[in-house]
Amino acid sequence: MLYNHNMRIFLLIIDGLGVGSQPDYSKYDSEYNCTLDNISVIDESSTLNKLGLLKCCLKENNLVTKNRYYRGRMLTIFNDFEYGLTEILGNCVFDKSLPIKENLITMLKKYNVNYQFVTSRSECGVEGNIVDCDYSVFYYIKNFLDNNDGVFIGEFNDFAKAGLIGDTQKMNESLSLFDKNLGEIVKELKYNDILVVSGNFGINPSKIGITREYIPILLYSRLLGGSKVLETIQGNNCIAMTIVDLLNIYPNINSLISEKEKQKIESYINILKNDLIASGFEKVLEIKGKDKSKQGSNKKVARENKIKTKKAVPIKK
């Protein structure tokens, strides 16, 4: 087995979802900014907050989270759409003249992992399905939930698109739509599914521009459980590193999953396999049992019919 076929991973990236300026923000921005300070609907985003979004903004709240959450610090020196996504997919780019040889998607292709990449950004630069709005991305996710295994990568752009024209109302609407649909997806996740939600840079709608911010990294798994401590991660490429580690195609020290947790996942998957094997044998035995019973019944019927149709032999006197 080249990779773990018994696991589904969902990586959802919200363009422009920043949770506070990084230490080097002054090289890029004129003042400190936290994107979500401009968004009033954040307090009503129940699903995202249960996953730890407000905690990533360093805001005190009494919500009990059932997952783990991080503040991811971007390493690449390029502060834009392309390189924000590029780092999440596995590369920290410091020189635009150098070609990108491998990332999460090339690795998934290399190991024949079933995957889909869907984006609502018209000029993405990554091969996949380009749709007109975030709602259409969710359509693909729900279809993937019903019919596929492997990895789903979705990029949501409506939030950033509204922020870059200073439309905070549209920003609120897009985040509210995301939160509502995310809640429906969480309900459909299997016990060993992995969900990762992140941003990739920040937006300042009042200044109308991209800001250099930490991003939220929200990792949800019913199997792995949660964490009550906020951690800061150096390098958003840890997201891709975690995914290839979980799939057993590239174990590495940059993964957010510990060896002990991986063993827990493997143990659960082995139980699933054994259950499937046992279930398969039971079905085979059940079918054979029915066949034998049917054969015995048919023989009995044939024997009775033979007796009934046998001609009477006259008795000699």
Side-chain angles (χ1 to χ4, degrees), residues 45-212:
S45 302
S46 58
T47 305
L48 285 166
N49 289 334
K50 285 178 182 177
L51 296 180
L53 183 58
L54 277 176
K55 294 180 186 296
C56 290
C57 296
L58 306 182
K59 296 183 182 296
E60 292 294 329
N61 63 78
N62 297 321
L63 287 171
V64 177
T65 59
K66 297 182 179 180
N67 64 302
R68 56 195 66 190
Y69 40 90
Y70 311 87
R71 279 162 64 93
R73 180 178 179 180
M74 180 185 292
L75 295 182
T76 180
I77 61 174
F78 305 111
N79 201 48
D80 57 26
F81 282 87
E82 180 181 356
Y83 290 96
L85 177 63
T86 297
E87 183 166 321
I88 288 174
L89 294 181
N91 294 90
C92 298
V93 181
F94 300 101
D95 186 345
K96 289 188 177 183
S97 66
L98 296 176
I100 298 171
K101 294 183 179 180
E102 284 190 327
N103 60 20
L104 175 59
I105 290 177
T106 61
M107 291 292 283
L108 295 177
K109 286 182 178 180
K110 182 177 179 179
Y111 287 90
N112 297 314
V113 180
N114 179 48
Y115 82 93
Q116 279 191 25
F117 175 79
V118 184
T119 178
S120 60
R121 182 157 59 98
S122 58
E123 297 178 2
C124 177
V126 178
E127 182 181 350
N129 295 303
I130 298 175
V131 295
D132 58 347
C133 65
D134 287 357
Y135 186 80
S136 297
V137 181
F138 279 111
Y139 172 82
Y140 275 88
I141 296 174
K142 290 171 183 176
N143 183 64
F144 194 91
L145 275 166
D146 293 336
N147 303 303
N148 292 277
D149 63 1
V151 179
F152 184 96
I153 306 168
E155 183 186 23
F156 298 81
N157 188 236
D158 289 356
F159 183 81
K161 190 190 301 182
L164 290 175
I165 58 173
D167 192 338
T168 55
Q169 182 178 343
K170 287 289 185 183
M171 292 177 77
N172 276 290
E173 290 173 0
S174 63
L175 194 63
S176 181
L177 175 69
F178 182 93
D179 186 77
K180 178 181 177 182
N181 281 278
L182 181 64
E184 295 176 5
I185 288 169
V186 169
K187 291 177 183 177
E188 296 295 323
L189 294 177
K190 297 178 182 177
Y191 189 68
N192 60 320
D193 286 341
I194 305 290
L195 169 69
V196 182
V197 179
S198 79
N200 56 2
F201 50 80
I203 293 285
N204 188 335
S206 62
K207 302 291 182 179
I208 307 182
I210 292 175
T211 51
R212 190 168 178 84

Side-chain angles (χ1 to χ4, degrees), residues 1 3-9 190-194 221 223-224 245-248 261-277:
M1 183 174 68
Y3 72 95
N4 192 341
H5 290 264
N6 297 93
M7 176 176 289
R8 298 188 303 179
I9 301 175
K190 297 178 182 177
Y191 189 68
N192 60 320
D193 286 341
I194 305 290
S221 165
L223 177 60
L224 295 177
D245 185 32
L246 283 167
L247 293 170
N248 291 333
E261 290 167 335
K262 282 186 66 180
Q263 290 172 8
K264 184 177 181 181
I265 292 170
E266 288 296 328
S267 297
Y268 179 77
I269 289 169
N270 286 332
I271 291 171
L272 284 181
K273 288 177 183 176
N274 291 335
D275 285 346
L276 287 171
I277 291 170

